[in-house]
Amino acid sequence: MKWRLDPWRWLVLLPASVLAVPVLVILLSLLQPQWDVWAHLRQTVLWLYISNSLLLAFGVGFGALMLGTGSAWLVSQYEFPCRRLLEWMLLLPLAIPAYIIAYTYTGLLDFAGPVQTHLRDWFGWRYGDYWFPEIRSLAGAILMLSLVLYPYVYMLARNGFREQAASLQEASRTLGLTTRQHFWQVALPLARPAILTGTALAMMEAFADYGTVQYFGVDTFTTGIFRTWFGLNNSLAAAQLAAMLTSFVLFLLVLEQWSRRKIRYYHQGQKDSRAPRKELRGGRGLMVLALCLLPLLFGFVVPAAQLSWWAWATWQQTLDERFMQLVWNSFSLAALAALLAVLLAVIFAYARRLRRDWLVLVPVRLAALGYAIPGTVIAIGVMLPLAFLDRHIDLLAEQWFGVRTGLLFSGTLFALLLAYSVRFLAVSLHSVEAGLQRIRPNMDQAARSLGCSPRQVLWRVHVPLLRGSVLTALLLVFVDVLKELPATLILRPFNFNTLAVRTFELASDERLADASLSALAIVLVGLLPVIILARSMERVH
């Protein structure tokens, strides 16, 4: 067949097959059930894992839905003091990983923290004289995750509200609807697809979280996977727990699609037909400003200020050669992973442009599913086949040549790069595909008519035009890798630390102030993609 000789199809099939292996390994692990381990888990913690994971995901989904939708509606429909500034600053909590905000608020709100200390000093209280909410709890984890994940809903809901034509509001007023009734009966249903998508993203991130729930002592699937693997020393049972977690995530994706299976939303009108914002002055404007400031204040300003204070107080002890090595490890690893992910994304996206058939479309879509899979799951899916491969290579080398090869793949940077590629390929692929869609097909045809091969068209025509999209993809993957914790914890080589891992280790030892410099470095780098998102939103609106 002709497709067998087509290099572009093979350039997709081969790497996509490798990227699909981790997820397939997790699912195939169910064929060898570990009945004794499952019986032990069922009698002890399995139902706790299930209930806590579901409560966490749906609690975070509800919190992100309320914060994101409410702030998006106020920003998109009303004109009030500092609105233009808040419009992009409400995205800033995305720069802070959930585990970092958890450490920060723990230091602020624990018994020995400044909040309770000042309360005891002011009122003369002692231990047991007063009640204070426990931050290290399931409710605390839901709150922490909601504060950093609501921008997913905010971004999409804001776009959904602003794209609605002015004629809709005019029709609502003609029918006698108040502003509140227009929101519930017209605007919210029309924005529902965008809002549900943002909520689903926040819930998937909650399912995938490890650092926050582990630090708060909340038993979920991610903490259970670590305990089963390292505590019970049973990697197969850990893989089966990971398969159950994956089924929860995939069920969430299917549920989101099913919820709007028979619903279609259309709106008409050009950009200049959008409804003008209603101007709010005086007390009403200040009240709306305060409402929009709350998620920004608690999701970014307070934790960033506390981290900066700690970092200033401890930088002379923490800013040393070891810290610079952490920076080098983190940045070099993130740069390599970003280059690999973007290279694969360019190949996959361009192959789809050349070959619009299932042999290319299906592998690309399967490879891009990794972003919906938690990092813990992908790490196990990478470790198991690589460890199997290492054992057999070592055995054959000893039998044939009398030498031991050791770990060639597992426990090396190769394993980490493979996991990052599986996890974050979708991020780079989305950006590159969006850039390719803006390049008209007649430019390809013109280049081909001048004698250029498909490879030359890609290199001479598309790559220069894709410079912005490629740089955006590089930056987004770079920051995602820099923040990734569970996959790095499982797969990192011995004596190889990153900023995220060091922050986790120090915080786990209750050395919160010492962890601040590493955490602040991650936050500062995380601001870059937020600024890019804000600029892109300003260009669109």
Side-chain angles (χ1 to χ4, degrees), residues 55-56 59-60 98-99 101-103 105-106 109 133-148 209 212-213 215-218:
L55 287 172
L56 180 71
V60 170
Y99 55 87
I101 198 175
Y103 307 153
Y105 273 106
T106 298
L109 302 178
E134 177 57 57
I135 185 66
R136 298 197 191 195
S137 61
L138 178 59
I142 290 174
L143 178 60
M144 296 297 100
L145 287 164
S146 298
L147 285 173
V148 296
D209 178 76
T212 305
V213 293
Y215 186 66
F216 281 4
V218 179

Side-chain angles (χ1 to χ4, degrees), residues 4 28 50 73 87 126 164 171 180 211 242 244 246 254-255 372 387 421 430 456 484 499 506:
R4 291 179 179 172
L28 292 175
I50 294 174
W73 174 253
E87 193 170 22
R126 295 185 178 182
Q164 296 175 13
R180 180 179 299 178
M244 182 176 287
T246 303
V254 172
L255 182 64
S421 299
H430 175 76
Q456 291 171 324
E484 174 64 28
L499 289 171
L506 290 173

Side-chain angles (χ1 to χ4, degrees), residues 20 74 84 127 133 150 152 159 236 245 352 363-364 385 418 522:
L74 294 175
R84 288 183 62 84
Y127 179 76
Y150 82 83
Y152 285 119
N159 293 339
L236 194 56
L245 175 57
R352 276 197 62 194
V364 169
L418 177 57
I522 297 173

Side-chain angles (χ1 to χ4, degrees), residues 98-120:
Y99 55 87
I100 288 179
I101 198 175
Y103 307 153
T104 306
Y105 273 106
T106 298
L108 281 170
L109 302 178
D110 257 359
F111 180 80
V115 173
Q116 292 198 54
T117 300
H118 283 90
L119 286 175
R120 290 193 298 272

Side-chain angles (χ1 to χ4, degrees), residues 273-289:
S273 69
R274 293 173 184 159
R277 294 183 178 91
K278 182 179 179 181
E279 188 169 356
L280 299 177
R281 296 182 178 180
R284 296 184 66 187
L286 292 176
M287 183 182 68
V288 172
L289 171 62

Side-chain angles (χ1 to χ4, degrees), residues 62-257:
F62 179 78
L65 178 68
M66 294 295 102
L67 293 173
T69 305
S71 56
W73 174 253
L74 294 175
V75 164
S76 62
Q77 299 299 312
Y78 297 101
E79 191 67 46
F80 54 90
C82 303
R83 186 201 62 81
R84 288 183 62 84
L85 188 63
L86 280 173
E87 193 170 22
W88 68 268
M89 289 189 71
L90 282 165
L91 294 171
L92 291 180
L94 275 179
I96 303 185
Y99 55 87
I100 288 179
I101 198 175
Y103 307 153
T104 306
Y105 273 106
T106 298
L108 281 170
L109 302 178
D110 257 359
F111 180 80
V115 173
Q116 292 198 54
T117 300
H118 283 90
L119 286 175
R120 290 193 298 272
D121 292 341
W122 290 340
F123 297 102
W125 291 337
R126 295 185 178 182
Y127 179 76
D129 291 343
Y130 64 98
W131 176 85
F132 197 85
E134 177 57 57
I135 185 66
R136 298 197 191 195
S137 61
L138 178 59
I142 290 174
L143 178 60
M144 296 297 100
L145 287 164
S146 298
L147 285 173
V148 296
L149 295 178
Y150 82 83
Y152 285 119
V153 181
Y154 167 76
M155 283 189 296
L156 297 172
R158 176 188 171 278
N159 293 339
F161 289 139
R162 287 304 297 162
E163 287 172 357
Q164 296 175 13
S167 58
L168 293 173
Q169 286 195 9
E170 295 169 1
S172 296
R173 284 195 294 267
T174 302
L175 295 172
L177 298 181
T178 64
T179 302
R180 180 179 299 178
Q181 290 171 325
H182 170 75
F183 171 75
W184 288 107
Q185 299 178 27
V186 180
L188 189 62
L190 283 173
R192 179 184 169 187
I195 293 172
L196 286 179
T197 301
T199 304
L201 286 172
M203 293 175 69
M204 283 190 291
E205 291 291 337
F207 272 128
D209 178 76
Y210 172 72
T212 305
V213 293
Q214 193 278 337
Y215 186 66
F216 281 4
V218 179
D219 293 319
T220 63
F221 272 110
T222 51
T223 59
I225 290 168
F226 270 81
R227 290 173 186 170
T228 304
W229 192 337
F230 298 108
L232 299 179
N233 197 28
N234 193 322
S235 58
L236 194 56
Q240 290 166 12
L241 270 178
M244 182 176 287
L245 175 57
T246 303
S247 67
F248 276 58
V249 175
L250 295 178
F251 176 76
L252 178 62
L253 292 174
V254 172
L255 182 64
E256 189 272 332
Q257 294 292 326

Side-chain angles (χ1 to χ4, degrees), residues 370-386:
Y371 194 66
I373 309 299
T376 310
V377 175
I378 291 175
I380 294 176
V382 167
M383 178 62 79
L384 290 179
L386 291 185

